[in-house]
Amino acid sequence: MPSASQTLPVVLTIAGTDPSGGAGIQADLKTFTSLGCFGTSVVTALVAQNTTGVQDVHPAPAQFVNKQILSVLEDMQVDALKTGMLFDAEITRTVCASLQTFYSESKSRALPPLIVDPVCVSTSGHTLLDSDATGTVIRDLLPLATIITPNKSEAELLLSWESAERKITSLSEMVESAKALSELGPKATLLKGGHLIVSSRQLEDLLRDRPDIKAFGSGIKERNTEILFEAEKHQKGEPFSSENTDLVVDVLYETQSQKWTIFARRRIDTTSTHGTGCTLSAAITCALGKGSSVVDAVLFATEYTHLAIETAVPLGRGSGPLNHMHGIQQRTIPLITSSTPFPFVRSLIRSTEDIWKDYVEHPFVKQLGEGTLPVESFKHFIKQDYIYLRYYARAYGLLGAKAQSFTTISSAAGIMNNIAEESKMHKAFCESWGITEKELTVGEESSATSAYGGYLLNIGLMGDEQKLRVAFAACLLGYGEVGLWLTAQSKIPGSKIYVQNNPYQRWIDDYAGPRFQEAVRTGIYQLEAQTAADPPSEQRYLELVDVWRTCTRLERNFWNMAMALD
């Protein structure tokens, strides 16, 4: 029986082989190892295949499949398992019966998360599931599944089995088909979109019409991430096109909550796609085995698989395998790639999604954009902002004092000079609103300003350069995002937000303008470069996220202070 002290996640794959190593149990085991799980396997069929296609299949006797399953389950505590190629109805029934029997023998054992990859047809067109087995998969296997991961062809086959032929030709049909598949019994369905070309414009249109659908991915503008797209545009010298960018879009539907989630990433022009479905489902298995939610598991797995494709080395004469081992070095932050150039900043924003949204889309910001913000609130804000600039400059002084390189010392000194110059412009700006120099220099400091400034100085006194840069970034990146968000909102037909002739136009123009946005890009580049040079451990990453979360919350509280006139 399993040891009570088992700590290493144990995962199981029940699938066919691939002697070329790119798909089947070979791909699963590589993925398991890469993601820090102990992989076990049950062979359902010996498959003669390589990167050019499948040449032959030799199924294992069903009773022998049962013995393999019991060999693993009776010896180890399996935390999650997946099925791949099951070949025929007899093997499929045996797998279902073996799992149900084992996990029903004792009330102390519950079926762990089961991921079903309903492998039916290979990419080269070779049939990998006997036609009689499809009904067995639907009746017996899908109701046991935590999540199923069909591609377009497999979804069409499952949905057409006992009804009229069903074709999936659009993103909206994918959304509805994911729900229809979940009605067959699984707790969740991930309908993969690798065989359906979707433009970023089509995805944007769907998300606008369906606000109930949440979306993630490097191929879309996740909420309040305009600064990342502007930085990427500047880096590459070309804008992200909503018209002609092709995406790979996967659609998740969770049966109990009745929620859809979309995972999108830019389509990669490559032939290294052999075993993509196996790799994705294996990564989901690892994440669920470690206790992740279904949504988090799929998000993790789609990003892992995308990187495996993007970093693959061409092998073979056909569709080559993925680079499963890119994750063998455990990274809290993904590698920087052409399609994900700013993984650290994106992860920070994701980690505080709700607070970040409250900060960027705060009522203070909205009323400012609508020109309805009370003048007294704005004047109180800019007076406190002047006081905050002193804290900001002092903290940069601490960065220079504790820096390990002359480059950082020089940069900190330069920024301090810039802040000093900005304070002069800020003073002139305040004067245009009738605020005297005396009011700025001897005015009462609000508790929100003291709390934020004190936190910055405390981080600076700790002597931790990276934490201090993250602390600075919440202000720098946040104001940059606010400027871009207000500008973007003003261009939406019917929007109440406007820039031209807005009483606060100068403030909006300053933060959306080229000078400040250049500073935002520089801040993003510096954060990513420092993180890539010294990748944080999981504990270190959590510490950085905590600094980001605290500063984001303090920024939000700064808006609150302005409106309450504290």
Side-chain angles (χ1 to χ4, degrees):
M1 293 303 292
S3 168
S5 61
Q6 175 179 316
T7 57
L8 180 67
V10 175
V11 290
L12 167 65
T13 174
I14 304 173
T17 65
D18 175 9
S20 70
I25 60 171
Q26 282 89 339
D28 292 341
L29 291 172
K30 289 177 183 177
T31 302
F32 294 163
T33 301
S34 176
L35 298 180
C37 292
F38 184 83
T40 59
S41 62
V42 168
V43 177
T44 59
L46 300 175
V47 185
Q49 66 172 311
N50 54 30
T51 63
T52 65
V54 176
Q55 291 80 47
D56 200 1
V57 180
H58 182 71
Q63 196 56 37
F64 186 65
V65 171
N66 172 66
K67 288 183 178 180
Q68 292 181 77
I69 293 173
L70 293 180
S71 290
V72 175
L73 298 184
E74 291 175 350
D75 186 43
M76 297 184 186
Q77 177 182 307
V78 171
D79 297 294
L81 65 155
K82 62 157 286 189
T83 63
M85 175 190 170
L86 298 179
F87 186 72
D88 62 17
E90 186 180 8
I91 292 176
T92 304
R93 282 194 296 269
T94 297
V95 169
C96 294
S98 299
L99 296 177
Q100 287 177 306
T101 300
F102 181 82
Y103 287 106
S104 64
E105 287 180 348
S106 170
K107 292 182 180 180
S108 63
R109 288 197 298 246
L111 179 67
L114 170 62
I115 297 80
V116 173
D117 185 11
V119 179
C120 301
V121 182
S122 70
T123 303
S124 60
H126 195 285
T127 299
L128 298 177
L129 185 68
D130 185 274
S131 59
D132 292 338
T134 303
T136 305
V137 168
I138 293 172
R139 289 189 301 271
D140 299 342
L141 186 58
L142 298 193
L144 301 178
T146 303
I147 182 172
I148 63 173
T149 61
N151 60 28
K152 174 180 175 293
S153 299
E154 292 158 351
E156 290 172 341
L157 177 62
L158 294 172
L159 292 173
S160 303
W161 183 246
E162 291 183 333
S163 58
E165 183 179 14
R166 184 158 182 168
K167 292 294 182 182
I168 303 171
T169 60
S170 67
L171 181 55
S172 60
E173 289 179 353
M174 282 187 68
V175 169
E176 296 310 314
S177 296
K179 180 180 180 181
L181 285 163
S182 285
E183 292 171 355
L184 297 177
K187 295 181 179 67
T189 295
L190 180 68
L191 178 48
K192 299 177 294 189
H195 297 97
L196 184 67
I197 296 177
V198 175
S199 73
S200 49
R201 171 62 69 187
Q202 290 170 328
L203 178 55
E204 287 173 4
D205 289 344
L206 174 74
L207 295 177
R208 184 184 61 251
D209 296 338
R210 294 290 303 272
D212 59 313
I213 298 178
K214 193 170 185 177
F216 292 102
S218 58
I220 60 174
K221 289 185 179 180
E222 293 181 22
R223 190 163 192 149
N224 303 136
T225 59
E226 290 282 347
I227 50 174
L228 298 183
F229 275 86
E230 286 298 315
E232 184 175 350
K233 180 172 69 175
H234 182 269
Q235 185 183 67
K236 295 182 177 180
E238 59 183 21
F240 174 79
S241 171
S242 295
E243 298 294 340
N244 57 17
T245 300
D246 291 338
L247 304 177
V248 173
V249 177
D250 300 329
V251 178
L252 173 68
Y253 181 78
E254 296 174 275
T255 310
Q256 185 173 2
S257 63
Q258 299 182 344
K259 290 182 179 179
W260 284 272
T261 307
I262 280 178
F263 304 87
R265 54 218 176 270
R266 298 178 201 182
R267 185 176 290 274
I268 303 170
D269 184 15
T270 180
T271 59
S272 299
T273 56
H274 179 54
T276 301
C278 302
T279 302
L280 177 66
S281 57
I284 293 173
T285 305
C286 288
L288 290 179
K290 292 179 179 181
S292 294
S293 68
V294 169
V295 170
D296 288 344
V298 174
L299 175 59
F300 169 79
T302 53
E303 292 184 340
Y304 166 81
T305 305
H306 184 73
L307 277 172
I309 296 172
E310 195 166 29
T311 60
V313 176
L315 295 171
R317 294 184 295 109
S319 296
L322 282 58
N323 174 21
H324 302 91
M325 309 311 288
H326 74 82
I328 198 68
Q329 177 184 352
Q330 290 297 299
R331 290 177 175 270
T332 307
I333 311 299
L335 290 167
I336 294 175
T337 67
S338 60
S339 66
T340 311
F342 312 117
F344 179 51
V345 175
R346 186 178 295 277
S347 72
L348 289 177
I349 293 175
R350 279 181 181 171
S351 69
T352 53
E353 181 181 7
D354 292 341
I355 302 174
W356 179 254
K357 176 180 178 295
D358 290 345
Y359 168 26
V360 174
E361 301 181 28
H362 194 279
F364 178 93
V365 175
K366 291 181 178 178
Q367 290 180 26
L368 187 146
E370 294 168 358
T372 60
L373 181 71
V375 171
E376 288 306 310
S377 292
F378 184 71
K379 291 171 68 174
H380 183 60
F381 161 70
I382 58 178
K383 285 191 289 186
Q384 292 300 314
D385 202 29
Y386 182 83
I387 298 171
Y388 170 75
L389 277 175
R390 290 202 297 262
Y391 281 112
Y392 204 70
R394 291 167 185 157
Y396 258 106
L398 290 171
L399 176 62
K402 303 294 179 67
Q404 300 298 309
S405 69
F406 284 108
T407 300
T408 301
I409 293 171
S410 176
S411 174
I415 290 173
M416 288 175 67
N417 285 330
N418 290 338
I419 295 171
E421 289 300 314
E422 185 179 344
S423 70
K424 296 177 183 178
M425 292 186 289
H426 194 96
K427 187 183 296 183
F429 181 64
C430 288
E431 287 177 359
S432 70
W433 285 89
I435 301 170
T436 67
E437 182 174 354
K438 182 178 181 180
E439 287 181 276
L440 288 178
T441 54
V442 300
E444 183 177 353
E445 183 175 318
S446 77
S447 58
T449 306
S450 298
Y452 197 178
Y455 184 78
L456 281 181
L457 293 178
N458 182 57
I459 293 294
L461 289 169
M462 291 169 59
D464 191 321
E465 179 181 338
Q466 190 174 29
K467 283 186 178 180
L468 193 51
R469 287 191 184 278
V470 170
F472 290 141
C475 176
L476 177 67
L477 275 56
Y479 275 58
E481 184 65 34
V482 165
L484 294 178
W485 184 79
L486 286 171
T487 303
Q489 291 295 305
S490 70
K491 297 176 182 179
I492 298 175
S495 173
K496 293 181 180 180
I497 292 175
Y498 65 102
V499 176
Q500 198 67 29
N501 298 320
N502 185 309
Y504 305 112
Q505 178 178 350
R506 180 179 168 185
W507 190 92
I508 298 172
D509 286 343
D510 281 348
Y511 289 109
R515 181 175 172 273
F516 193 82
Q517 290 299 322
E518 174 63 27
V520 170
R521 287 191 293 271
T522 299
I524 292 173
Y525 298 158
Q526 289 176 341
L527 279 174
E528 295 294 346
Q530 186 175 36
T531 306
D534 185 16
S537 65
E538 183 175 357
Q539 180 60 38
R540 173 65 172 174
Y541 172 71
L542 293 176
E543 292 174 1
L544 296 174
V545 168
D546 184 63
V547 171
W548 171 266
R549 180 183 294 109
T550 299
C551 288
T552 303
R553 187 171 59 249
L554 288 167
E555 285 286 355
R556 181 191 61 188
N557 292 348
F558 210 77
W559 299 136
N560 291 340
M561 169 272 299
M563 298 194 77
L565 302 181
D566 173 27

